């Protein structure tokens, strides 16, 4: 029996239905609300499988959250499911609801549109839903949304480049995929650059947050443009492909490659000063899945709800603060 059901039964026996209703309303609930601490919480976590570096980090941090939070809270049970595609994730979500009988969910959707209806169905069955990073097409299908700051992810590199090059540079850019997330980053990046008319964006192409695709796109840039000062690759995986292409071409005109997301290899490079092209990065750690699980679990154990939206700030990573963003045990 849930905490709310037990509460209602005790209230009815002790004071009658009217008394229970009055007490519930006094707590700001209404009869259908939840504000009492739960006896136990069954939390499902649904995330993409570790198909590349960033999602590898997502999986690692999700399992770290399960280990640490279950140890700290004996009345919390966390079930982590990983999926290789949207159909598999939708099927797993149904199993979490009907077989595992979760009452709370943290989901990093594989795709926004394909997962919106399955998540909405879970919410209709009484599951509290926290969506992470990739928003749903219908926000009413969720109770809370937690994400990194994609606007800052684009703005911070642009501000760094403008300052480092005194407002004058030739820049090429590698974007991720045609998504709202990527659009937010690109719009923030270009908004800063518009304030510096002597910074020229020579070209920008999608490289799919993929190292091999970034290598090919950079090869094209290097063939077409003989004078490049900075490459902005909006993801560390892409930045590694950029570096490989520059090395193979033996180009010496490029002075900086700026990636993103704070992978441990990139942060270690900044700490050590081992590559003069890598001076800084911007944080967008897969650790936000850990934060989302922790926030959701602790709120539900108290019978509370999270704010509708919570944005985890991004920060400029430099040699001075890189230790704060270095997680050597993480796969990313």
């Amino acid at each position: 029996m849930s905490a709310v059901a037990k509460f209602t039964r005790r209230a009815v026996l002790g004071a009658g239905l009217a008394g229970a209703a009055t007490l519930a309303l006094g707590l700001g609930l209404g009869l259908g609300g939840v504000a009492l601490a739960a006896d136990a919480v069954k939390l499902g976590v649904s995330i993409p499988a570790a198909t590349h570096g960033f999602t590898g980090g997502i999986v690692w941090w999700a399992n770290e959250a399960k280990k640490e939070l279950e140890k700290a809270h004996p009345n919390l049970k966390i079930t982590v499911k990983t999926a290789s595609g949207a159909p598999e994730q939708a099927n797993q979500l149904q199993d979490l609801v009907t077989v595992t009988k979760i009452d709370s969910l943290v989901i990093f959707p594989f795709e926004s549109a394909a997962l919106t209806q399955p998540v909405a169905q879970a919410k209709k069955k009484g599951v509290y839903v926290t969506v992470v990073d990739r928003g749903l097409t219908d926000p009413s299908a969720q109770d809370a949304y937690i994400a990194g700051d994609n606007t800052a992810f684009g703005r911070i590199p642009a501000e760094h480049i403008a300052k480092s090059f005194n407002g004058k540079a030739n820049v090429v850019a590698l974007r991720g995929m045609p998504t709202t997330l990527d659009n937010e980053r690109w719009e923030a990046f270009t908004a800063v650059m518009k304030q510096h008319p002597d910074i020229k964006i020579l070209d920008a192409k999608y490289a799919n947050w993929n190292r091999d695709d970034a290598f090919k796109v950079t090869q094209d840039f290097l063939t077409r443009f003989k004078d490049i000062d900075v490459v902005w690759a909006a993801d560390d995986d892409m930045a590694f492909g950029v570096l490989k292409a520059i090395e193979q071409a033996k180009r010496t005109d490029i002075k900086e490659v700026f990636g993103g997301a704070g992978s441990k290899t990139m942060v270690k490079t900044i700490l050590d000063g081992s590559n003069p092209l890598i001076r800084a990065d911007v944080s967008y750690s897969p650790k936000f899945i850990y934060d989302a699980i922790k926030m959701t679990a602790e709120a539900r154990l108290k019978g509370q709800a999270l704010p509708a939206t919570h944005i985890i700030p991004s920060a400029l990573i430099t040699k001075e603060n890189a230790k704060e963003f270095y997680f050597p045990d993480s796969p990313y």
Side-chain angles (χ1 to χ4, degrees):
M1 183 182 292
S2 71
V4 173
K6 290 178 180 177
F7 158 77
T8 304
R9 185 171 181 271
R10 287 196 300 267
V12 170
L13 291 174
L17 182 59
T22 300
L23 182 54
L25 289 169
L27 290 169
L29 299 175
L31 286 173
V34 178
L36 294 179
D39 290 336
V41 168
K42 289 185 177 181
L43 173 64
V45 176
S46 177
I47 53 180
T51 55
H52 61 280
F54 189 81
T55 52
I58 290 287
V59 173
W60 189 84
W61 279 111
N63 283 297
E64 284 294 293
K66 171 181 169 64
K67 178 176 65 178
E68 294 179 12
L69 292 169
E70 285 185 341
K71 182 178 180 180
H73 305 284
N75 55 342
L76 172 66
K77 174 63 177 175
I78 299 176
T79 303
V80 178
K81 296 282 189 181
T82 62
S84 58
E88 183 182 10
Q89 190 174 31
N91 289 335
Q92 289 178 350
L93 180 55
Q94 186 176 16
D95 286 344
L96 284 169
V97 174
T98 60
V99 179
T100 310
K101 299 189 182 301
I102 61 170
D103 50 59
S104 306
L105 172 70
V106 174
I107 182 167
F108 186 115
F110 206 98
E111 295 176 9
S112 298
L115 271 298
T116 295
Q117 187 58 31
V119 172
Q121 290 174 350
K123 187 172 183 289
K124 286 179 183 178
K125 292 180 180 178
V127 175
Y128 183 90
V129 176
T130 299
V131 173
V132 181
D133 196 51
R134 300 173 188 170
L136 302 174
T137 55
D138 180 6
S140 69
Q142 68 201 25
D143 293 287
Y145 176 67
I146 297 174
D149 191 341
N150 287 294
T151 297
F153 190 101
R155 173 181 53 78
I156 288 171
E159 291 174 344
H160 168 83
I161 291 166
K163 181 178 179 180
S164 297
F165 290 84
N166 297 314
K168 186 174 183 178
N170 289 330
V171 179
V172 292
L174 289 80
R175 301 178 61 176
M177 293 180 179
T179 59
T180 55
L181 180 155
D182 181 82
N183 289 341
E184 288 176 22
R185 296 175 177 182
W186 179 243
E187 288 166 6
F189 184 84
T190 54
V192 173
M193 293 311 187
K194 287 175 183 175
Q195 302 170 26
H196 302 277
D198 289 332
I199 293 181
K200 309 297 183 184
I201 299 178
L202 303 176
D203 199 2
K205 285 190 173 182
Y206 293 109
N208 305 312
W209 294 308
N210 180 279
R211 191 175 302 207
D212 293 337
D213 291 349
F215 176 79
K216 294 172 186 174
V217 168
T218 306
Q219 282 184 318
D220 173 67
F221 286 158
L222 296 176
T223 299
R224 292 192 291 123
F225 303 113
K226 301 305 180 184
D227 185 13
I228 300 172
D229 296 300
V230 187
V231 181
W232 179 50
D235 173 84
D236 284 342
D237 280 330
M238 292 193 296
F240 293 125
V242 171
L243 291 169
K244 182 180 177 181
I246 293 171
E247 181 182 4
Q248 283 196 5
K250 295 181 168 53
R251 288 284 289 265
T252 58
D253 53 311
I254 299 162
K255 302 172 183 67
E256 183 166 7
V257 174
F258 197 116
S263 71
K264 70 177 183 182
T265 303
M266 196 65 78
V267 174
K268 188 67 163 59
T269 301
I270 294 169
L271 271 172
D272 296 343
S274 56
N275 188 330
L277 293 179
I278 304 299
R279 306 179 190 176
D281 206 334
V282 60
S283 66
Y284 195 89
S285 171
K287 184 179 179 291
F288 62 52
I289 194 70
Y290 175 102
D291 297 331
I293 295 168
K294 186 175 189 292
M295 291 167 63
T296 302
E298 293 181 348
R300 302 316 295 157
L301 285 165
K302 296 174 184 176
Q304 297 175 351
L306 295 173
T309 301
H310 181 88
I311 302 300
I312 298 170
S314 288
L316 179 67
I317 303 173
T318 64
K319 192 175 182 66
E320 287 68 33
N321 67 353
K323 286 184 180 179
E324 300 172 26
F325 299 93
Y326 184 52
F327 303 105
D329 294 333
S330 170
Y332 182 76

